């Protein structure tokens, strides 16, 4: 078990290294000159050259990347070209809002997904099942920006139930989290539905029912826990999908998180921030997958970790 | 044949296919069907103050912020969305299948190198990657399609890889091997036919994700270049007006959702019909 | 750099009589109260040597002071930290006497050595200031930017309250330069304490000091009780909320949650506000020193042909472009905006004439038109304006393909010799840094800017006009002012004879304030404290 964990962690680190290399390479190829942007429009070519040298932008790619890695090992992600602050500080200040949104969003996903999935499975073939299936299909087929604008239009502009965006308390959190949650719940409800149906067919459930246990008790105590197992690795993978959603939803709702930071940085070609955000996202994705891998065997001993 | 009949019997699939056919016809016959030139900026298409016109007699779905006919732009936009949906997804499925099949069939160092690379790409936030790529290569319709393909092939590769592994372990392949069949023969006459349903399902489902990604990129302003209309960039251009002229956002929005939904439903039904392990369970 | 810098309302007069600070204070103003101001983009830094954004420009002005400033709501130069100044007969030496007893927010008195330190810090390449180039007329500038020296030989603190600045050549705009943010006085000890993070912990002599900064969320300014302009500022605190969509900000303003929407009025809301009597007097309109233009790369065929450039000038319908941005601008025919001294009212420029344009193209050998590219920044409404230009060009046979890219990519392509034959300046357009025509020439039309990495995207270089420009800027004596402005006026109309640009429009500025906000309208579209003069506004 320990060697398995060790290998998985080592492998995750390798992936992160690869992600940072590719990101850095892509940005190196970008046809824009950060030194010129910093120097402003009244700068002489000498001033621009001086700044380029100070930032090490005149070095060949492998030296720039090695330099970046060296700093990264000391926890230094560099300084933003535009904001001139430490990238770690910028990320730090935006991590909390993003985590809040992510927790609330995934919370909604699970809440909506699991309850709809359970209802659909129990009412299999009925009207409720069809309706919920249709709903889950619409959810996965709608792009976040359209859903976000739709919610903003109806719930904030027309009905004035929620604020028009911005950061703040629970009221501000609700709409963006619901947008992410509703759209993401489709996958979960479909998975819960099919795994519920599968479990309901299994022998031990029939036995439990035959022993005279009530339907509700069987569902809650025996079916649900077993049906949820396949969902857990989904959460890990979902984090990656979620990161993309954050960019869109945060910019529509003006939520001061990582996604908004990423979008602003991309527009301004603020390379240290872009690399920083990509690294953070990759860490989140890799960590999500890692935890999923480590948790599954604990929950379901039937899954043999050696097969991984 | 029986699969096709079974599929068409499902009302959702029939309706979805009808919508897809409608979009295809609109795209193919755009020059004849659209009431106006989609790029023509009509002087009378804007109010005196420069506001877009609401849906009405002349411009059935209203005009956009440059005084162009929204209906004509939607019809021509169908071309862009379909083109990118088919081409980008076709490329993604092709790359994914090649990578997954090679890795799963050959194994060895090449196989594991390919799959490690796939894992690496999985760890990238897809949208950020797509935005960065389209910033490097100044976007055109082909570049956008290529960018989307470069992001979307990963999942296909994973699925094909595990299916290939599973198939290779099956008895009939082992039997062929002992009978002395060449690798290529096994690949083409046994593995590929068995993988075909999966590929077909992904080729359909993937169009849905591709349409969404194209719309999102265009909405962020890094997708299809103006004045070529795409459903996503119609929304991008109109977003500042969405509270006072919501039709400019929500009509193309509905078109995107419906197209994505249609491909999703058809793909899902295909999976039900073609995947023997799921048979009789839904 | 970006949505930057100063915009100015009315004609500037360079040399004004002495004006006492207290005369600037509004006698009716009430003191106290807190207001909320919103911006969409994050405030990058409050370091006066670095900040060059729409949102931080005026904020920095309220935290820091320079030797000179402008009368509130105008472009009239007045003394700020300077008690007095004199200029030598040859126009080369400026002697400033400083006010006594001015204290930094940390309690220490501001001295002449701080002035010298601050200028040297901005010029020093290590600071990476986008404003360094403004000080190139100070003697010893090249030594500092070239890394040969850390001190400017032309700046001398003769004692605690006297600074003498020697120029390498007379410069008629030098007092304006002493008033821009990059010349603000900063305390050395605080800069050294915070290092590169000084911009997050700003300490100046200004009307407000920084209270709290939650990155990406809000910034709170609190009143500086020891401010040397007695009676200022009027407000106790200002809360700046960032990351607020302009549309959302206006809806919140209607509800009374926001007092000033810093980003102005988005187009969709604009018509509603304009036509709603309730908002009529809450929306303040001001002109700004801005010109939106299309550059034609004069070194790249076919734009190396004057007739082609003139044809493009005649092919574009500026009235229609103004209409698609809801009439928030006026059509332009020359590089200078109407409010800038030197603007030639009599100049007609190239009139909209499709047939004339076709004729010129035929004479140039392009009767069948040609293919080219139009670069534009990818945020609304710029791609829309580019499409309008594209359609106009198509009517005379010029087939322009639009390249809609992120700002940094457009800037990078703009100055490249073999790329970007046409660039629409929107979103990166030229807004004056100070109210003087010279600011509209050098970097964007002069030979010095026509280099790789420069801002003269036409790569236009007319040696004779460059010489005229140098001559005009050397006319530093007050009595030469009118002659100087007339010379500048001619330079810009001469530029149009070569047609390196198509001037499209001059944008206006709109600020919306809540009902309780008071103080003159000028303060809300202040030409210098862009967008709003926080020192002088007050609450009813």
């Amino acid at each position: 078990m320990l060697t398995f964990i060790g290998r998985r962690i080592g492998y995750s680190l390798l992936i992160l290294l690869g992600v940072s290399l590719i990101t850095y390479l892509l940005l190196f190829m970008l046809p824009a000159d950060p030194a010129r942007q910093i120097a402003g429009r009244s700068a002489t070519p000498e001033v621009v050259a001086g700044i380029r040298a100070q930032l090490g932008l005149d070095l060949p790619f492998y030296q720039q990347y090695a330099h970046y890695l060296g700093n990264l090992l000391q926890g230094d992600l560099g300084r933003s070209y535009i904001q001139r602050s430490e990238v770690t500080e910028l990320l730090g200040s935006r991590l909390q809002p993003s985590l809040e949104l992510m927790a609330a969003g995934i919370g909604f996903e699970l809440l909506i997904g699991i309850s709809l999935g359970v209802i659909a499975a129990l009412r299999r073939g009925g009207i409720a099942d069809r309706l919920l299936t249709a709903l889950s299909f619409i959810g996965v087929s709608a792009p976040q920006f359209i859903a976000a604008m739709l919610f903003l239009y109806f719930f904030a502009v027309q009905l004035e139930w929620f604020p028009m965006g911005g950061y703040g308390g629970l009221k501000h959190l609700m709409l963006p989290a619901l947008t992410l949650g509703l759209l993401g719940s489709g996958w979960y409800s479909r998975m819960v539905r099919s795994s519920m149906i599968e479990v309901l067919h299994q022998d031990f459930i029939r036995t439990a029912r035959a022993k005279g246990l009530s339907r509700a008790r069987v569902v809650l105590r025996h079916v649900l826990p077993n049906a949820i197992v396949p969902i857990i690795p989904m959460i890990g993978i979902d984090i990656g999908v979620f990161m993309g959603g954050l960019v869109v939803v945060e910019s529509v709702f003006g939520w001061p998180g990582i996604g908004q930071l990423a979008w602003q940085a991309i527009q301004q070609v603020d390379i240290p921030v872009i690399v920083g955000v990509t690294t953070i996202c990759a860490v989140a994705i890799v960590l999500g997958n890692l935890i999923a891998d480590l948790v599954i065997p604990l929950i379901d001993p039937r899954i043999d970790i050696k097969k991984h | 044949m029986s699969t096709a009949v079974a599929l068409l019997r499902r009302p959702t699939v029939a309706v979805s296919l009808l919508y897809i056919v409608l979009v295809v016809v609109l795209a193919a016959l755009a020059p004849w069907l659209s009431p106006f030139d989609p790029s023509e900026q009509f002087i009378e298409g804007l109010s005196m103050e420069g506001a877009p016109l609401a849906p009405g007699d002349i411009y059935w779905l209203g005009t956009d912020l440059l005084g162009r006919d929204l209906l004509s732009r939607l019809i021509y936009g169908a071309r862009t969305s379909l083109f990118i949906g088919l081409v980008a997804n076709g490329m993604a499925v092709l790359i994914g299948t090649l990578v997954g099949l090679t890795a799963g069939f050959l194994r060895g160092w090449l196989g594991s190198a390919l799959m490690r690379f796939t894992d690496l790409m999985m760890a990238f936030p897809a949208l950020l990657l797509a935005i960065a790529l389209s910033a490097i290569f100044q976007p055109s319709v082909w570049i956008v399609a290529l960018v989307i393909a470069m992001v979307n092939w990963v999942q296909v590769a994973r699925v094909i890889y595990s299916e290939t592994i599973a198939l290779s372990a099956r008895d009939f392949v082992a039997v062929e091997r002992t009978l002395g069949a060449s690798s290529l023969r096994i690949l083409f006459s046994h593995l590929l036919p068995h993988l075909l349903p999966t590929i077909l399902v992904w080729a359909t489902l993937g169009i849905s994700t591709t349409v969404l990604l194209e719309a999102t990129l265009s909405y962020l302003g890094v997708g299809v270049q103006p004045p070529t209309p795409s459903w996503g960039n119609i929304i991008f251009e109109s977003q500042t007006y969405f509270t006072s002229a919501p039709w400019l956002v929500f009509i193309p929005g509905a078109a995107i959702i419906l197209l994505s939904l249609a491909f999703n439903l058809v793909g899902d039904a295909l999976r039900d019909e073609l995947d023997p392990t799921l048979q009789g369970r839904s | 750099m970006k949505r930057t810098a100063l915009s100015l309302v009315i004609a500037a007069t360079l040399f004004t009589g002495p004006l006492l600070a207290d005369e600037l204070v509004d006698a009716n103003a009430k003191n106290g109260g807190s207001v909320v101001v919103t911006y969409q983009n994050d405030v990058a830094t409050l370091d006066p040597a670095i900040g060059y954004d729409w949102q931080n420009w005026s904020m920095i002005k309220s935290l820091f002071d320079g030797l000179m400033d402008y009368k509130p709501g105008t472009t009239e130069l007045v003394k700020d930290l300077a008690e007095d100044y004199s200029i030598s007969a040859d126009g080369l030496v400026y002697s400033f006497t400083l006010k006594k007893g001015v204290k930094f927010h940390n309690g220490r008195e501001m001295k002449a050595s701080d002035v010298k330190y601050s200028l040297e810090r901005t010029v020093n390449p290590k600071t990476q200031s986008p404003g360094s180039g403004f000080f190139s007329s100070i003697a010893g500038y090249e030594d500092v930017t070239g890394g040969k020296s850390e001190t400017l030989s032309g700046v001398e603190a003769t004692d605690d309250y006297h600074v003498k600045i020697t120029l390498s050549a007379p410069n008629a705009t030098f007092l304006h330069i002493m008033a821009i943010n990059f010349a603000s006085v900063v305390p050395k000890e605080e800069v050294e304490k915070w290092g590169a993070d000084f911009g997050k912990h700003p300490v100046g002599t200004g009307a407000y000091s920084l209270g709290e900064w939650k990155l990406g969320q809000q910034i709170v300014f609190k009143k500086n009780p020891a401010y040397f302009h007695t009676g200022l500022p009027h407000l106790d605190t200002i809360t700046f909320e960032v990351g607020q969509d302009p549309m959302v900000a206006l809806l919140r303003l209607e509800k009374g949650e926001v007092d000033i929407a810093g980003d102005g009025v988005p187009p969709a809301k604009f018509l509603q506000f304009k036509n709603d009597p309730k908002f009529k007097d809450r929306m303040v309109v001001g002109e700004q020193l801005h010109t939106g233009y299309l550059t034609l790369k004069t070194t790249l065929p076919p734009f190396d042909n004057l007739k082609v450039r003139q044809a493009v000038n005649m092919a574009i319908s500026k009235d229609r472009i103004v209409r698609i941005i809801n009439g928030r601008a006026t059509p332009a025919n020359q590089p200078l905006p109407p409010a800038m001294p030197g603007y030639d009212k009599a100049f007609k420029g190239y009139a909209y004439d499709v047939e004339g344009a076709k004729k010129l193209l035929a004479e140039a050998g392009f009767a069948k038109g040609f293919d080219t590219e139009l670069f534009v920044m990818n945020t609304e409404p710029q791609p829309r304006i580019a499409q309008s230009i594209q359609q106009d060009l198509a009517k005379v046979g010029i087939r322009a393909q639009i390249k809609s890219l992120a700002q940094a990519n457009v800037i990078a392509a703009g100055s490249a010799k073999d790329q970007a034959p046409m660039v629409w300046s929107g979103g990166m357009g030229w807004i004056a840094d100070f109210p003087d025509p010279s600011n509209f020439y050098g970097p964007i039309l002069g030979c010095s800017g026509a280099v790789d990495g420069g801002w003269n995207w036409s790569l236009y270089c007319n040696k004779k006009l460059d010489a005229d420009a140098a001559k005009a800027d050397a006319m530093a004596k007050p009595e030469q002012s009118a002659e100087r402005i007339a010379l500048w006026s001619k330079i810009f109309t001469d530029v149009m004879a070569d047609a390196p640009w198509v001037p499209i429009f001059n944008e206006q500025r709109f600020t919306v304030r809540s009902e309780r906000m008071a103080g003159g309208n000028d303060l809300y579209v202040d030409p210098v404290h862009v967008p709003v003069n926080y020192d002088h506004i007050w609450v009813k």
Side-chain angles (χ1 to χ4, degrees):
Chain A
M1 184 73 193
L2 269 179
T3 45
F4 168 70
I5 295 176
R7 259 195 17 228
R8 287 295 297 158
I9 291 176
Y11 182 49
S12 303
L13 286 176
L14 219 65
I15 283 190
L16 288 179
L17 191 74
V19 168
S20 76
L21 177 69
I22 293 179
T23 315
Y24 217 86
L25 190 68
L26 285 179
L27 294 171
F28 183 77
M29 287 158 60
L30 212 64
D33 185 353
R36 202 177 290 168
Q37 242 191 332
I38 291 169
R41 57 192 186 191
S42 61
T44 56
E46 296 82 62
V47 172
V48 177
I51 291 174
R52 197 173 292 134
Q54 272 183 53
L55 295 174
L57 291 170
D58 51 348
L59 299 175
F61 172 74
Y62 68 94
Q63 280 188 31
Q64 283 190 41
Y65 182 64
H67 188 72
Y68 171 76
L69 270 190
N71 287 337
L72 187 67
L73 287 178
Q74 298 159 34
D76 178 7
L77 285 171
R79 260 176 199 280
S80 153
Y81 291 158
I82 310 291
Q83 311 227 28
R84 312 286 174 105
S85 328
E86 298 267 1
V87 173
T88 42
E89 194 188 349
L90 287 174
L91 287 173
S93 71
R94 284 164 177 278
L95 207 55
Q96 199 202 334
S98 273
L99 286 177
E100 281 172 21
L101 183 54
M102 210 154 147
I106 292 184
F108 271 127
E109 272 185 0
L110 292 175
L111 189 75
I112 301 169
I114 293 176
S115 33
L116 294 191
V118 168
I119 295 171
L122 294 178
R123 297 265 180 278
R124 192 175 153 211
I127 295 173
D129 182 18
R130 292 205 180 150
L131 219 77
L132 294 176
T133 311
L135 208 72
S136 76
F137 268 106
I138 295 173
V140 295
S141 307
Q144 279 119 346
F145 67 95
I146 294 175
M149 289 169 108
L150 201 64
F151 286 177
L152 209 58
Y153 185 71
F154 280 111
F155 296 116
V157 178
Q158 295 294 325
L159 297 172
E160 298 190 19
W161 288 355
F162 295 102
M164 281 282 294
Y167 183 63
L170 212 59
K171 270 200 139 174
H172 292 86
L173 183 63
M174 286 300 276
L175 272 189
L178 256 177
T179 309
L180 286 165
L182 262 183
L183 296 195
S185 65
W187 295 117
Y188 287 105
S189 69
R190 277 157 75 179
M191 275 203 83
V192 170
R193 179 179 175 275
S194 62
S195 79
M196 277 275 290
I197 292 172
E198 195 175 327
V199 176
L200 280 168
H201 280 283
Q202 273 170 14
D203 294 342
F204 73 99
I205 298 297
R206 290 195 194 133
T207 318
R209 281 288 277 163
K211 277 201 292 190
L213 291 175
S214 78
R215 187 181 158 90
R217 198 180 151 89
V218 171
V219 167
L220 283 178
R221 290 286 293 273
H222 298 281
V223 182
L224 202 54
N226 280 295
I228 282 179
V229 172
I231 300 236
I232 292 161
M234 280 281 290
I235 301 174
I237 295 162
D238 196 31
I239 290 175
V241 181
F242 224 88
M243 284 293 179
L246 283 185
V247 174
V248 173
V249 170
E250 287 185 354
S251 47
V252 176
F253 286 100
W255 191 262
I258 301 276
Q260 202 188 44
L261 182 72
W263 178 233
Q264 284 177 7
I266 288 170
Q267 291 240 301
Q268 300 167 327
V269 196
D270 195 348
I271 293 172
V273 178
I274 302 176
V275 181
V277 172
T278 318
T279 312
I280 281 275
C281 289
V283 168
I285 294 167
V286 168
L287 214 62
N289 286 325
L290 186 65
I291 290 172
D293 277 0
L294 297 180
V295 166
I296 296 167
L298 297 181
I299 301 176
D300 190 350
R302 281 174 305 177
I303 295 171
D304 186 0
I305 52 168
K306 284 189 198 103
K307 271 205 266 177
H308 280 249
Chain B
M1 206 47 225
S2 63
T3 316
V5 173
L7 273 177
L8 281 172
R9 280 218 191 101
R10 302 179 179 213
T12 47
V13 174
V15 173
S16 301
L17 282 175
L18 210 65
Y19 181 72
I20 293 171
V21 168
L22 175 76
V23 174
V24 170
V25 168
L26 283 179
L29 302 180
W32 296 278
L33 290 179
S34 69
F36 298 98
D37 177 350
S39 304
E40 176 82 30
Q41 301 165 15
F42 296 100
I43 306 249
E44 67 281 4
L46 286 176
S47 76
M48 276 321 288
E49 287 171 316
L53 302 182
D57 286 348
I58 304 171
Y59 307 104
W60 291 352
L61 294 181
T63 57
D64 74 356
L65 303 185
L66 278 166
R68 295 174 296 198
D69 179 47
L70 180 61
L71 178 60
S72 306
R73 288 188 73 70
L74 277 179
I75 293 175
Y76 273 87
R79 285 187 159 189
T80 319
S81 296
L82 267 187
F83 174 84
I84 291 182
L86 295 175
V87 170
N89 189 54
M91 284 194 277
V93 170
L94 192 69
I95 302 172
T97 307
L98 273 177
V99 170
L101 199 59
T102 317
F105 189 66
L106 294 181
R107 316 272 179 97
W109 66 268
L110 182 64
S112 59
L114 280 174
M115 286 328 284
R116 293 299 84 95
F117 183 65
T118 312
D119 283 350
L120 180 66
M121 295 304 285
M122 285 282 275
F124 260 105
L127 188 60
L128 288 184
L129 183 65
I131 293 171
L133 285 172
S134 46
I136 294 173
F137 310 103
Q138 301 172 352
S140 68
V141 176
W142 279 98
I143 293 289
V144 173
L146 203 68
V147 162
I148 293 174
M150 280 162 86
V151 172
N152 273 2
W153 63 269
V154 186
Q155 285 182 320
V156 184
R158 291 266 284 220
V159 172
I160 297 291
Y161 172 75
S162 49
E163 292 238 336
T164 311
I165 297 272
L167 280 173
S168 305
R170 295 255 287 271
D171 293 342
F172 67 94
V173 177
V175 169
E176 283 285 330
R177 274 230 166 89
T178 49
L179 287 176
S182 74
S183 291
L184 275 181
R185 192 186 140 73
I186 295 177
L187 186 66
F188 281 103
S189 54
H190 295 284
L191 289 182
L192 264 180
H194 279 92
L195 286 173
L196 215 56
T198 313
I199 296 173
L200 202 61
V201 166
W202 274 92
T204 320
L205 284 178
I207 294 177
S208 166
T209 19
T210 310
V211 167
L212 293 189
L213 192 53
E214 183 274 322
T216 306
L217 286 178
S218 294
Y219 162 75
L220 291 172
V222 293
V224 178
Q225 294 281 286
T228 307
S230 98
W231 293 346
N233 74 14
I234 294 174
I235 298 178
F236 162 73
E237 286 181 353
S238 316
Q239 54 178 318
T240 51
Y241 258 77
F242 98 94
T243 49
S244 55
W247 66 89
L248 281 177
V249 167
F250 294 130
I251 295 176
I256 295 171
I257 295 178
L258 286 177
L259 188 63
S260 160
L261 182 63
F263 278 112
N264 241 328
L265 288 170
V266 174
D268 193 68
L270 258 181
R271 180 165 48 196
D272 280 359
E273 293 297 331
L274 292 178
D275 191 340
T277 57
L278 279 172
Q279 214 109 72
R281 236 190 249 162
S282 66
Chain C
M1 240 171 109
K2 32 173 316 196
R3 280 175 313 265
T4 26
L6 304 203
S7 55
L8 302 141
V9 178
I10 39 165
T13 35
L14 254 179
F15 299 96
T16 54
L19 239 167
L20 287 174
D22 300 354
E23 287 176 22
L24 306 175
V25 179
D26 184 349
N28 301 319
K30 274 192 212 153
N31 284 333
S34 306
V35 301
V36 177
V37 182
T38 61
Y39 286 105
Q40 177 163 35
N41 281 349
D42 220 346
V43 172
T45 174
L46 291 174
D47 186 335
I50 293 169
Y52 206 6
D53 290 337
W54 173 260
Q55 55 278 15
N56 66 14
W57 191 256
S58 180
M59 293 169 80
I60 288 173
K61 283 195 174 295
S62 288
L63 292 173
F64 295 90
D65 292 295
L67 293 176
M68 305 295 294
D69 197 0
Y70 297 86
K71 197 173 158 188
T74 74
T75 55
E76 200 179 307
L77 268 172
V78 294
K79 289 170 286 197
D80 198 15
L81 289 175
E83 176 77 43
D84 206 357
Y85 65 83
S86 64
I87 309 172
S88 67
D90 60 0
L92 286 177
V93 181
Y94 286 70
S95 308
F96 293 94
T97 308
L98 303 186
K99 287 202 174 88
K100 286 187 180 142
V102 176
K103 293 222 167 74
F104 286 116
H105 299 144
N106 65 7
R108 182 174 71 76
E109 190 183 4
M110 188 270 310
K111 299 266 174 66
S113 57
D114 293 311
V115 177
K116 180 173 163 65
Y117 169 76
S118 302
L119 292 177
E120 283 166 351
R121 172 172 180 266
T122 299
V123 172
N124 194 321
K126 284 198 190 111
T127 312
Q128 299 179 6
S129 167
S132 161
F134 289 112
F135 303 95
S136 57
S137 58
I138 298 178
Y141 174 81
E142 274 84 19
D143 289 345
V144 179
T145 54
K148 279 185 220 136
S149 167
E150 295 263 297
T151 55
L152 278 169
S153 60
V155 183
E156 194 186 339
T158 44
D159 63 33
D160 277 357
Y161 301 101
H162 289 90
V163 182
K164 202 171 84 183
I165 301 179
T166 311
L167 306 185
S168 45
N171 184 340
T173 62
F174 190 68
L175 285 176
H176 283 299
I177 288 165
M178 285 296 103
I180 62 176
N181 281 6
F182 304 112
S184 300
V185 181
V186 296
K188 186 179 181 184
E189 69 276 15
E190 297 287 339
V191 174
E192 282 174 353
K193 180 168 148 202
W194 296 107
D197 285 325
F198 180 67
K200 292 276 181 301
H201 304 271
V203 175
T205 55
Y208 297 91
S209 62
L210 179 67
E212 183 198 25
W213 189 336
K214 276 195 212 148
L215 275 182
Q217 294 175 31
Q218 66 170 30
I219 295 174
V220 180
F221 278 10
K222 55 176 204 273
K223 180 178 183 158
N224 171 10
Y227 192 43
F228 70 94
H229 287 301
T230 40
L232 290 179
H234 301 303
L235 299 171
D236 287 340
T237 60
I238 307 178
T239 305
F240 299 94
E241 294 184 6
V242 295
Q244 297 268 325
D245 181 81
M247 195 74 131
V248 177
L250 286 174
L251 289 168
R252 290 183 62 204
L253 191 137
E254 288 174 54
K255 284 186 189 165
E257 297 168 22
V258 167
D259 293 299
I260 296 168
D263 294 309
V265 200
K269 228 38 199 159
F270 174 74
L271 292 179
Q272 182 203 329
F273 269 50
K274 206 177 81 180
N275 301 327
D276 187 341
K278 203 169 71 189
F279 293 105
K280 215 161 196 171
D281 47 319
R282 286 204 233 155
M283 186 161 76
V284 187
V285 189
E287 273 190 62
Q288 57 181 352
L289 289 191
H290 162 274
T291 303
Y293 54 88
L294 179 74
T295 65
L296 309 172
K297 195 148 281 166
T298 56
T299 55
L300 196 67
F303 294 111
D304 57 343
N305 187 326
L306 175 63
K307 284 188 174 150
V308 173
R309 299 200 298 270
Q310 287 171 332
V312 172
N313 260 286
M314 291 153 76
I316 295 171
S317 165
K318 296 163 189 174
D319 289 324
R320 180 170 167 88
I321 296 176
V322 167
R323 180 150 139 201
I324 65 169
I325 57 165
N326 309 116
R328 290 140 64 94
T330 46
N333 62 23
Q334 55 189 297
L336 289 185
M340 179 73 98
Y343 177 81
D344 188 345
K345 279 202 193 74
F347 186 71
K348 289 280 175 276
Y350 299 94
Y352 177 54
D353 177 2
V354 176
E355 289 314 310
K358 278 186 189 159
K359 212 172 127 239
L360 276 176
L361 280 178
E363 285 170 25
F366 293 101
K368 289 187 180 147
F370 55 87
D371 291 283
T372 184
E373 287 176 343
L374 168 55
F375 280 60
V376 57
M377 185 175 146
N378 66 358
T379 50
E380 258 284 305
Q382 313 311 340
R384 200 143 49 86
I385 293 170
Q387 288 177 70
S388 187
I389 295 174
Q390 182 188 40
Q391 164 161 301
D392 288 341
L393 292 179
K395 283 185 187 145
V396 298
I398 302 173
R399 297 168 294 276
Q401 199 190 343
I402 291 177
K403 296 272 177 192
S404 161
L405 308 169
Q407 175 180 283
N409 303 44
V410 180
I411 292 173
S415 66
K417 281 195 180 59
D418 53 347
Q419 272 198 72
M422 294 194 281
V423 183
W424 161 242
S425 76
M428 307 160 292
W430 199 255
I431 302 180
D433 296 294
F434 51 85
D436 189 273
S438 70
N439 192 236
F440 258 78
Y441 185 79
I444 45 177
L445 284 164
C447 297
S448 63
V451 292
D452 199 20
W455 280 72
N456 180 346
W457 297 334
S458 298
L459 297 180
Y460 171 66
C461 175
N462 183 330
K463 294 256 158 56
K464 188 198 160 283
L465 291 183
D466 252 33
D468 285 350
K471 201 169 110 197
D473 268 354
M475 297 179 179
K477 293 201 185 82
E479 62 272 21
Q480 291 174 305
S481 178
E483 189 193 339
R484 175 173 179 271
I485 295 298
L487 182 54
W488 269 121
S489 187
K490 188 170 175 316
I491 292 172
F492 283 105
T493 47
D494 284 356
V495 164
M496 283 318 291
D498 286 334
W501 282 12
V502 184
I504 305 278
F505 57 62
N506 306 111
E507 227 165 33
Q508 289 173 307
R509 198 146 62 82
F510 300 87
T511 306
V512 180
R513 56 178 181 182
S514 69
E515 215 163 1
R516 65 192 194 112
M517 295 309 299
N521 275 353
D522 295 351
L523 298 175
Y524 293 88
V525 285
D526 193 299
V528 183
H529 289 246
V530 172
V532 173
N533 191 325
Y534 302 120
D535 297 4
H536 290 266
I537 56 171
W538 49 281
V539 179
K540 276 177 207 161

